[in-house]
Amino acid sequence: MAAAGTPKDDTGLERKMESRHLTMISLGGVIGTGLFVSSGYTIHQAGPLGAILAYAVGSLLVYCVMVSLGELSVAMPYAGSFHMYAKRFIGPGTAFTIAVLYWLNWAVALASEFTAAGLLMQRWFPHSPSWVWSAVFIVVVFAHGMVAGQGAADSRAIRQDEFPWCAGAAAVLFSMAGSLLALLSSVLAASTV
């Protein structure tokens, strides 16, 4: 029997996630090397206002998709990914295609994250090849996943929902440091002219 306030049905799913869990999952999902590498390129190409407008339009589209998926998952909770909704409403072929394309998307995104990490490290160590740094990060991430996964399976001592705060704080600090360096370099450039 489910506890009061925790609906449970025959799928075995329980609604135990709190808003802080969802916040941490969303922060952990959006902060990566792409924030630093791609944002710089976008600002360089479109300018500050163009980048803000592009990110605003993209954010609005992502928000609409996520609200729609949130409504579907509340109305019809499935044990599985969102391709299960395509299976129910469209057909199994479409669901399979969505699942494969989603996997392919993240396989390519993960590879580009490791490549970007290697390129960022090459800035600090210019005589080292970026593939070495990419390989190092692949090993570290894989080892962390194996250790953290085993630890989470053995006990609930790991508070994985709080780790994205570290990444969020790092993103804010790096953004502030980059802005400060850009401001200082423009002030120094103006004073030497």
Side-chain angles (χ1 to χ4, degrees), residues 83-88 90-100:
H83 72 278
M84 297 301 290
Y85 300 115
K87 182 178 181 180
R88 177 172 179 184
I90 301 173
T94 304
F96 176 77
T97 304
I98 289 173
V100 169

Side-chain angles (χ1 to χ4, degrees), residues 51-62:
I52 289 172
L53 289 174
Y55 283 132
V57 169
S59 299
L60 179 66
L61 290 172
V62 170

Side-chain angles (χ1 to χ4, degrees), residues 6 14-15 110 137 145 171 184 189:
T6 308
E14 296 181 33
R15 297 181 187 196
L110 189 62
F137 284 114
L184 287 175

Side-chain angles (χ1 to χ4, degrees), residues 14-73:
E14 296 181 33
R15 297 181 187 196
K16 290 188 173 182
M17 293 185 81
E18 300 172 11
S19 63
R20 68 184 176 94
H21 296 116
L22 299 176
T23 302
M24 294 300 106
I25 289 170
S26 64
L27 282 175
V30 300
I31 297 171
T33 55
L35 176 69
F36 304 111
V37 176
S38 299
S39 294
Y41 179 77
T42 304
I43 292 170
H44 178 73
Q45 292 294 316
L49 181 62
I52 289 172
L53 289 174
Y55 283 132
V57 169
S59 299
L60 179 66
L61 290 172
V62 170
Y63 175 77
C64 290
V65 169
M66 295 314 292
V67 167
S68 299
L69 283 174
E71 291 289 333
L72 278 171
S73 64

Side-chain angles (χ1 to χ4, degrees), residues 60-144:
L60 179 66
L61 290 172
V62 170
Y63 175 77
C64 290
V65 169
M66 295 314 292
V67 167
S68 299
L69 283 174
E71 291 289 333
L72 278 171
S73 64
V74 167
M76 295 169 279
Y78 283 123
S81 185
F82 55 87
H83 72 278
M84 297 301 290
Y85 300 115
K87 182 178 181 180
R88 177 172 179 184
F89 293 113
I90 301 173
T94 304
F96 176 77
T97 304
I98 289 173
V100 169
L101 288 176
Y102 188 66
W103 176 87
L104 188 63
N105 173 46
W106 281 109
V108 170
L110 189 62
S112 69
E113 290 284 332
F114 287 131
T115 303
L119 291 173
L120 286 174
M121 291 302 291
Q122 198 175 31
R123 288 184 180 268
W124 288 309
F125 305 100
H127 299 295
S128 63
S130 63
W131 70 266
V132 171
W133 290 109
S134 297
V136 166
F137 284 114
I138 288 170
V139 169
V140 167
V141 168
F142 180 76
H144 177 269

